[in-house]
Structure formats: C-alpha cells, structure tokens
Amino acid sequence: MTVSSPVDDVRAQYEALPYPPRDPREEAVRLITGTPSHILEVNHYLFAGRLNFNRPFRALVAGGGTGDACIMLAQQLADRRCPGEIVYLDLSTASRAICEARAKARGLRNIVFHTGSLLDLPDMNIGQFDYIDCTGVLHHLPDPSAGMKALVSVLQPDGGIGVMLYGQYGRSGVYPLQEMLRSIAPPSMALEDRIAMAKRLIRFLPTTNLFRRNPYLNDHVTGGDAGLYDLLLHSCDRAYTVPEIATLASDAGLRVVAFLEPVRYEPSTYMSDPVIARQASSLPLVERAAFAERLAGNLRTHVFYASRAGFDTVARPEDTSAIPVLRDMDAAKLAGGLQPGAPLVANLDGFPWRAQLPALAPRIIAQFDGRRTVAEIYTSLGAQGALPQWEDFYAQFEDLYVKLNGVNHLLLRFRT
Ligand SMILES: C[S@@+](CC[C@H](N)C(=O)[O-])C[C@H]1O[C@@H](n2cnc3c(N)ncnc32)[C@H](O)[C@@H]1O
C-alpha cells in the first residue's frame, strides 16, 4: 500500500492543473508584471534603491508555478543586462514545462530550472540568493514555518524575500465551502466530478451564505477550473492575519519591512474619524497594518517584503538624491491626465479610495524620467516657470510620493 503525503497531494493537483493557467504564445504580446518581485519594488523595499545591476544578482523563485514571477524577473534583469541568474523551483513538472516554454518564447537564457520541494533547499546545494520570491506557496505546506525557514537557509545575509499569502478576513466564506466539499466531494472522487460538484454548490448557495456574500472572491471565475480547484478543493490551504505573518517571519529570523500596496495597510485609508485615524496611524508598521486589515475586512491576500532583522532596507524620499521611478506608467500621460483639483481615485477591492494631490503634482510628475533625482527635478522646474521655494516644493513632493507610492505607482532608486 502506498501512503501519500500532503506534499504528494499538492504535487498531484499542480501536475493535473498547473496554476495560474498560462499560454506561452502570449509572451509575444505582453509581459505579465505583478507584485511582489517587480525589480523596481525589490530594489526599493529590500535594497534601499541601491542595487547595482552591473553586479551578479541571484534570485530564487520557490514554487514558481507556470512562471509569472520567474519570467518577469528574468526579463527585467535581461533588459538591464544584469549578469544575474534566476533559479526556478517547483514540485510540478507540468507547471515547469509551461514556464520553460514561456522562457523559450522570449529567448531568455538566465533561468536555471529545478524540480523538487522547497523543503529540501537546505540540502540542495544550489547556493545563496540575494532575493527569493515565494508567492501563493507557503500556505499550501503542512508546516509553512518549516518552509519559511528552508527559504531563509539559502538567503544571503543582506538579501530579502517577497511573499504572498492568503488573507484570513478577505477570504471569509472560503473555508466553510472547502469543508462542505470535503464531505460531499472527497479526494477519492474523480477530479472532474469534484469540480462539477463545486460548481453546483456555488450556483445553489443561499443568499445568507458567507461565500455568496463576499463579492471579492473571483478566482473561481477568472481562473477557470484550475482557479476553482485552487480556491475550493485544495488539499492543503490556510490563511493568515497580519500578526501571524509577522510571527512567521520572525520565527525564521526575518522582519517584515513593507506590506503592499502600502495604502491598503494604513488605517487612515479607511477611517474618516480623525481621532481614531490619528491614534491608529501612530502605531508601528505591523500593528498599523493589523488594524487596517481588521478595519477593511477585504484583504484576500497579503503581499510583503521581509529582510533579516536589523537592516533598514527600504528606500526613503528624505534623501534628495533619490530618483523617483514610475512603475509601468508614462509620466507625460499621467501628468496630462490629472485635472486641476480632481482627486486621484482607486478602487481597493470595493473600497473607493480618493486622495487629493498637491497643486504642483502635474509639474512634478512630468519631470519623472527615471533618471532625475528629487533635487534635479526641483531645478528643472525652474526652467519651466516660477520656481517655488524649496520647502514648499519638497513638502508637495513628499505628499505626492506618499500617495503614488501608496498605490504602488512610484518607487525610488539611487545612482550606483
Ligand atoms: C498557487 S501556485 C503559485 C505559483 C506561482 N508562485 C504564482 O504565484 O503564480 C503554487 C505552486 O507552488 C508549488 N508548490 C507547492 N508546494 C511546493 C513545495 N513544497 N515545493 C516547491 N513547490 C511547491 C505548486 O506545485 C504550484 O506550482
């Protein structure tokens, strides 16, 4: 008799249903970028904006799946002619084949592929890494803490990690459904029959059901059968609160340096009462983020960066030699699209976020070319008209920075 382990069950799922579903032919049309692991974010949050791309950079994508983070990072390093290497690791050979086909379609030669479990990293002899991506994986391990420690065993002392874990409150409704399906569509049933049963159950849920009342869970709609299976039929799946994430990190010797997008983790985003907003905003990062997640109630996933305790790894705008870099956006288009007096708006999974931008915002944004420093942007404003006082300019820049960085559109780097 063969006994399957939880890791075997997870492997079997992703061999049958690689997730997320990706078509390598799409590489000809678009590069999928995301969070974490966008190279601008990695530089900003983990290397204080001071990564030198002329030096070798090694990244591990642990549980790389069909390749989103791996392909994004490999392409971004190749675009910068960085002599770096991305190591892809996953249990599933079917997922790896998709990632390999995507890399081939792009002509990327900076990826090394491995099949195996991240739990075996301490004994794999694949060297140390400056950066490790692990998104949507640790919450599928029987012991996520052991997984986190295995990752940290191959992390350079000054390296950092980017992680995505499920969020407990935002997934409300998922776990009762998983329990119900475990009893009426157990793993012994054929995969297609389990999926069919899950579809029926969703269709006939009463209006009072928590899953039905949670409008922000759409993986089963956008991710096809693989998404549905991942959401409701997974053999091993748990969710985290912010304090639990802080503990997971600190048990492995890491400290969370940022949650993304930052604005979602600020109590003042959701709280219009000024007394409560001020009180909660004075808390340290993790407590503030925990307050915000309880208040918002809609954070389905948590993305965070963590580095070894003791390092301040986040780029700060106080240094005027910082270079503001827009993420995947055109400065002229953004500046031109801002109506005087109109707020910046975003839909944070149902929460309507609005931020009033400072009067100088369009003029400052128009100067963001990814090369000019904050000080140089100030000087170049003079060539365009009346030069404001430095203090006035800087206060407005900082205000703009907090808002655009808050929704992950603006990051910092330094000349190296
Ligand atoms: C939900 S998918 C996420 C894939 C990818 N990280 C992404 O975000 O697109 C989870 C992946 O983790 C892999 N995985 C799960 N447990 C693993 C383990 N112990 N070691 C390596 N990979 C694992 C699965 O095979 C699957 O491809």
Side-chain angles (χ1 to χ4, degrees), residues 7 10 14 19-20 63-66 68 89-92 95 116-119 133 135-137 140-141 230:
V7 172
V10 169
Y14 291 108
Y19 188 79
T66 47
D68 283 0
L89 173 67
D90 202 287
L91 291 172
S92 155
S95 302
S117 171
L118 63 86
L119 293 169
D133 167 284
T135 56
V137 183
H140 294 315
L141 298 182
D230 219 61

